[in-house]
Amino acid sequence: MACTIYNGIYADDSEVVKTRINKRAGREEFYVHYIGLNCRQNEWVDKTRLLLVKQEEEEEEEEEEEEEGEEEAAANEALQETSGSENQSVKLEDDEPEAKRIKVDPPGNSSVRVSDDLAEELTCPLCNELFKEPVVVKCGHNFCCGCLDKAWAGQDSFTCPACKEVINDKKFTNNRALANLVKKTARAFAVPAAVLTPAKSLAKEKPPVNCLVHDEKLKLFCKDDGDLSCVICRDSLKHTCHSFLPIMDAVCVYKTELSSIVTPLEDALKVAEQMAKNQNEKIGRHKTTMTEFREHIESEFQKMYKFMKEKEQKLLEKLQEEGESLLMEMEDNIAKIEENIKCIKQSIATTSEKLNDTDSVSFLTDIKMLLKKCQDQQKEALSFENTLIDRELNKETYKAQIQFPKFEDVRTTKDVPSAVPSTVPSTVKKPKQIWIFGNSLLECAARRAKASPFGQNLGFKQRDFTVCWMGKVIMRWCDLLTELSHTRSLLGTPCAVVFHLGIHDLERSSFFNLISSVRRDFAHLSVEYPDTKFVWSDVLPKKHWKTTVEKKRKNFNVIVASIAQEHGFGVIPHKEIERRLNRKEQKPSRSIEHEDLDIFNNNIKNYLSKILM
């Protein structure tokens, strides 16, 4: 077929010898022979560069034979494309003058390429296998019926992987023609699995030996682009001013370069392997150390448990012995007192009977003996031996805080378990403790105090006082005594306690029961902690409280302050914070701010400084 090349370096007459599909570029290309030029200058060109010469109209062809069917024609065409041999040539159309024969690639090259194209057309895009019961969807692409059902399962729509069109209606038509073509094409090949496998599914595609553009043997290597090239590529505009090496020279150069890189890589590998070895050794030693430490801790605590269990047993035995002895003595005493009471009642009855006797002789008979008996009974009732036994068990021995010994003390005193060493030498002065109990406001106040200049210890020196913030998200008044007792068992008796409680109780508890609990607990604290200074902190208003709850809060603050003063407890009012919060009533936010927390902490700090310093 004659043509003219435009938009290229040649403008002579030329002929199209053969065509192909460039999969990489995704287009159809034509191999052009330039008439009058060297065959080495022939090249593959795009269709857009061809300008076909108009041919004279030919006589109408004879009527074609009856169509044998769409399926057989497609199968025959596929067989014709793949059954070519090394010596076979393809004839051009009869109406073209000077028909040329197409140069056929060696076996295993062109046939494989044609087979790849055919296999790709007969392969399902979803499973990458030959079609099984092929169906065509709305967009015109074909899929296996089973693959399409799986892809559509549980979805309202299906996106075609070929054209990305979204199909909402699950409608498709059986493609019987394609199914027959697959069967006939598969029977036509001796090894269907090898021939009909698409090129993209091969593990490794053999690189071409000819230039894809000029169909010349690849003999050069472009150092600038790193591509294999033919001699025509070297003179093309694409490789202008580029440096080339013969393939064998390039192999020697780059083998030498790779060899020079291998040695540093081997050195780096040795370093990395040694580092991995050292790290694994560290990991092994670390695991061993963890195991040793765990066993040591468990052993030490087992000793502590044994020591404390022996201490507990000794103390319980001592309590049982002293308690039983004192109980027996008091029971004997009550028996004597009851016997004395019985005798006195009998003497009183006899005396009353004597007094009512009207007969003088009878009255005076044994009167002296009765008087003496009554006097003896009176002396015996008032004697020292008949006094009340009011001795009690030693509170310091059985109810005081039990000191926890050190591990060293447990080891040195294992033979004398009853001895409880002091945890702190007598010469060291322990700092006094200040506890601050409350709800979530205390947590915010503690964080704010940490960021303030005076810190969480409220400006007190660590060697003199230690401030412990004990805020909980929800803490009710009924938790106060339990928390105090638990903390005392761990830390000892504090010198001062500040509690800010009642917020959650006002919302849920009866006001009368709450006041009764406060009165009872304050009386208990004054007796249980005689050396501790207790300080009550006013309850602050909350944003969501209604008028009734706010009124209860004010009454609660007044009554609790009065009860605290009755027992000698301190009271910290927060009037300034209340005024600040009340000024925010008309604003969207009435929550406590950093300035309010600073005032709250300062009020506590100033009051504690006044009563402790």
Side-chain angles (χ1 to χ4, degrees):
M1 180 174 12
C3 64
T4 301
I5 302 298
Y6 68 94
N7 193 24
I9 59 174
Y10 302 103
D12 302 60
D13 291 338
S14 56
E15 289 181 334
V16 175
V17 179
K18 56 183 176 180
T19 63
R20 72 176 181 186
I21 300 297
N22 189 337
K23 293 183 181 180
R24 183 178 300 177
R27 65 190 180 189
E28 184 179 11
E29 295 180 345
F30 299 84
Y31 189 67
V32 178
H33 168 62
Y34 298 99
I35 300 174
L37 297 180
N38 193 330
C39 290
R40 292 181 58 187
Q41 294 176 333
N42 294 346
E43 64 176 341
W44 288 96
V45 299
D46 188 11
K47 185 177 181 180
T48 57
R49 293 181 58 194
L50 292 181
L51 184 61
L52 299 178
V53 179
K54 294 184 178 180
Q55 306 291 337
E56 295 181 359
E57 295 183 355
E58 303 290 342
E59 294 181 357
E60 295 182 356
E61 299 179 355
E62 296 180 357
E63 294 183 0
E64 297 178 353
E65 296 179 357
E66 293 182 358
E67 296 180 358
E68 297 179 355
E70 184 178 355
E71 298 85 353
E72 296 181 0
N76 291 334
E77 183 181 357
L79 290 173
Q80 283 182 350
E81 290 179 356
T82 57
S83 62
S85 62
E86 183 174 358
N87 299 323
Q88 183 181 6
S89 61
V90 179
K91 293 184 178 181
L92 298 176
E93 297 180 0
D94 295 339
D95 57 346
E96 291 191 36
E98 300 178 6
K100 301 290 181 180
R101 295 187 178 274
I102 299 176
K103 179 182 177 182
V104 180
D105 292 337
N109 189 6
S110 176
S111 60
V112 172
R113 190 183 306 122
V114 175
S115 299
D116 289 347
D117 294 341
L118 180 60
E120 187 172 357
E121 294 298 328
L122 301 181
T123 301
C124 174
L126 295 177
C127 64
N128 286 330
E129 297 180 359
L130 293 180
F131 284 113
K132 300 174 184 176
E133 300 182 9
V135 294
V136 59
V137 295
K138 182 180 178 181
C139 63
H141 291 98
N142 297 282
F143 304 95
C144 297
C145 183
C147 297
L148 188 61
D149 289 336
K150 291 180 181 179
W152 217 312
Q155 299 183 12
D156 297 332
S157 61
F158 168 72
T159 303
C160 178
C163 61
K164 306 303 180 183
E165 181 178 346
V166 179
I167 303 172
N168 297 320
D169 296 333
K170 190 176 181 181
K171 295 180 180 179
F172 46 81
T173 307
N174 293 332
N175 193 339
R176 295 185 179 86
L178 181 58
N180 293 333
L181 181 60
V182 171
K183 292 179 182 178
K184 293 182 178 181
T185 305
R187 286 197 300 267
F189 290 94
V191 189
V195 177
L196 295 178
T197 302
K200 61 183 179 180
S201 64
L202 295 176
K204 184 176 181 181
E205 185 177 358
K206 186 176 179 180
V209 296
N210 289 352
C211 177
L212 298 177
V213 178
H214 305 102
D215 199 27
E216 289 290 332
K217 190 172 182 180
L218 299 171
K219 296 182 178 180
L220 303 175
F221 180 79
C222 178
K223 296 171 64 178
D224 298 272
D225 293 343
D227 296 333
L228 291 170
S229 307
C230 66
V231 292
I232 300 178
C233 293
R234 178 186 59 188
D235 301 329
S236 64
L237 294 175
K238 179 181 178 182
H239 294 280
T240 303
C241 301
H242 286 189
S243 299
F244 290 85
L245 285 174
I247 287 181
M248 296 307 298
D249 292 348
V251 169
C252 294
V253 169
Y254 287 103
K255 273 190 176 181
T256 304
E257 188 173 344
L258 281 177
S259 300
S260 64
I261 293 176
V262 169
T263 301
L265 284 177
E266 290 176 347
D267 295 339
L269 176 62
K270 293 179 181 178
V271 173
E273 289 177 345
Q274 184 63 36
M275 189 179 300
K277 180 181 178 182
N278 295 339
Q279 188 63 67
N280 286 327
E281 291 176 356
K282 288 282 188 183
I283 291 173
R285 288 197 295 269
H286 174 70
K287 290 181 178 179
T288 303
T289 303
M290 285 181 60
T291 304
E292 292 176 356
F293 287 177
R294 182 181 294 106
E295 293 174 353
H296 172 74
I297 293 173
E298 291 175 352
S299 173
E300 292 296 324
F301 272 93
Q302 285 295 334
K303 294 177 183 178
M304 175 70 75
Y305 297 152
K306 181 180 179 181
F307 178 86
M308 296 305 296
K309 192 66 179 177
E310 292 175 355
K311 166 85 177 160
E312 176 190 9
Q313 189 65 29
K314 290 285 184 180
L315 204 56
L316 289 176
E317 290 175 359
K318 184 178 180 181
L319 173 63
Q320 183 70 19
E321 183 179 350
E322 290 188 8
E324 289 292 339
S325 175
L326 182 58
L327 178 61
M328 188 178 298
E329 186 177 350
M330 289 189 292
E331 287 177 349
D332 292 341
N333 189 49
I334 191 65
K336 291 180 181 179
I337 294 173
E338 289 176 350
E339 182 66 26
N340 192 23
I341 291 172
K342 183 179 179 181
C343 293
I344 292 174
K345 287 181 177 179
Q346 186 177 359
S347 297
I348 292 174
T350 304
T351 303
S352 299
E353 183 179 354
K354 202 63 143 170
L355 289 173
N356 294 328
D357 192 355
T358 55
D359 186 3
S360 301
V361 176
S362 177
F363 175 77
L364 293 175
T365 301
D366 300 329
I367 188 63
K368 297 273 289 181
M369 188 181 296
L370 180 60
L371 288 173
K372 187 177 184 306
K373 182 179 179 181
C374 291
Q375 290 172 356
D376 292 341
Q377 287 179 346
Q378 181 182 7
K379 291 179 181 179
E380 185 179 356
L382 298 177
S383 66
F384 177 76
E385 296 179 354
N386 293 330
T387 57
L388 176 67
I389 298 177
D390 59 352
R391 288 186 292 107
E392 296 180 354
L393 295 173
N394 191 344
K395 187 176 180 181
E396 294 297 328
T397 304
Y398 301 108
K399 201 173 180 182
Q401 178 191 5
I402 298 176
Q403 301 287 339
F404 291 97
K406 298 179 182 177
F407 287 161
E408 294 80 2
D409 298 330
V410 174
R411 296 193 191 98
T412 56
T413 59
K414 60 183 180 180
D415 297 331
V416 191
S418 60
V420 182
S422 175
T423 57
V424 180
S426 58
T427 56
V428 179
K429 181 183 178 182
K430 293 179 61 177
K432 297 179 180 179
Q433 298 182 42
I434 301 173
W435 300 348
I436 305 178
F437 284 93
N439 47 38
S440 56
L441 176 63
L442 261 294
E443 293 183 332
C444 300
R447 289 194 297 269
R448 185 60 185 169
K450 187 176 182 180
S452 63
F454 47 75
Q456 274 192 325
N457 216 48
L458 297 178
F460 295 108
K461 294 181 180 179
Q462 291 284 353
R463 65 174 181 270
D464 297 330
F465 297 97
T466 301
V467 179
C468 301
W469 298 80
M470 301 177 185
K472 296 174 63 176
V473 177
I474 297 178
M475 183 173 180
R476 304 184 66 178
W477 191 275
C478 59
D479 301 329
L480 177 60
L481 295 181
T482 304
E483 290 290 336
L484 282 172
S485 177
H486 176 69
T487 309
R488 184 185 187 184
S489 65
L490 297 176
L491 304 179
T493 304
C495 68
V497 177
V498 179
F499 41 88
H500 181 83
L501 296 173
I503 292 179
H504 299 287
D505 299 272
L506 288 173
E507 296 177 330
R508 298 173 178 83
S509 303
S510 166
F511 188 78
F512 176 79
N513 293 337
L514 179 59
I515 294 299
S516 299
S517 298
V518 172
R519 193 181 300 276
R520 181 180 63 253
D521 292 345
F522 277 14
H524 175 81
L525 293 174
S526 61
V527 175
E528 187 71 20
Y529 301 83
D531 299 327
T532 301
K533 298 180 180 179
F534 289 91
V535 182
W536 156 255
S537 172
D538 276 355
V539 177
L540 296 175
K542 295 183 71 174
K543 176 181 177 180
H544 63 276
W545 276 353
K546 298 181 180 179
T547 306
T548 53
V549 182
E550 177 63 17
K551 186 176 180 181
K552 285 173 62 177
R553 181 193 69 83
K554 293 180 179 179
N555 293 337
F556 180 74
N557 284 341
V558 173
I559 296 173
V560 174
S562 175
I563 298 173
Q565 291 174 356
E566 290 178 5
H567 293 85
F569 295 173
V571 178
I572 302 177
H574 301 291
K575 300 298 182 183
E576 184 178 355
I577 302 178
E578 289 188 25
R579 287 194 295 270
R580 287 174 56 85
L581 294 176
N582 290 332
R583 285 199 297 269
K584 301 175 187 176
E585 284 186 350
Q586 305 303 325
K587 298 181 181 180
S589 174
R590 193 189 171 193
S591 59
I592 195 162
E593 299 176 351
H594 286 170
E595 292 80 1
D596 304 320
L597 294 174
D598 290 338
I599 298 173
F600 181 84
N601 291 336
N602 272 312
N603 290 343
I604 295 177
K605 172 181 176 295
N606 295 335
Y607 194 89
L608 290 175
S609 300
K610 181 174 65 176
I611 65 174
L612 296 177
M613 295 299 184

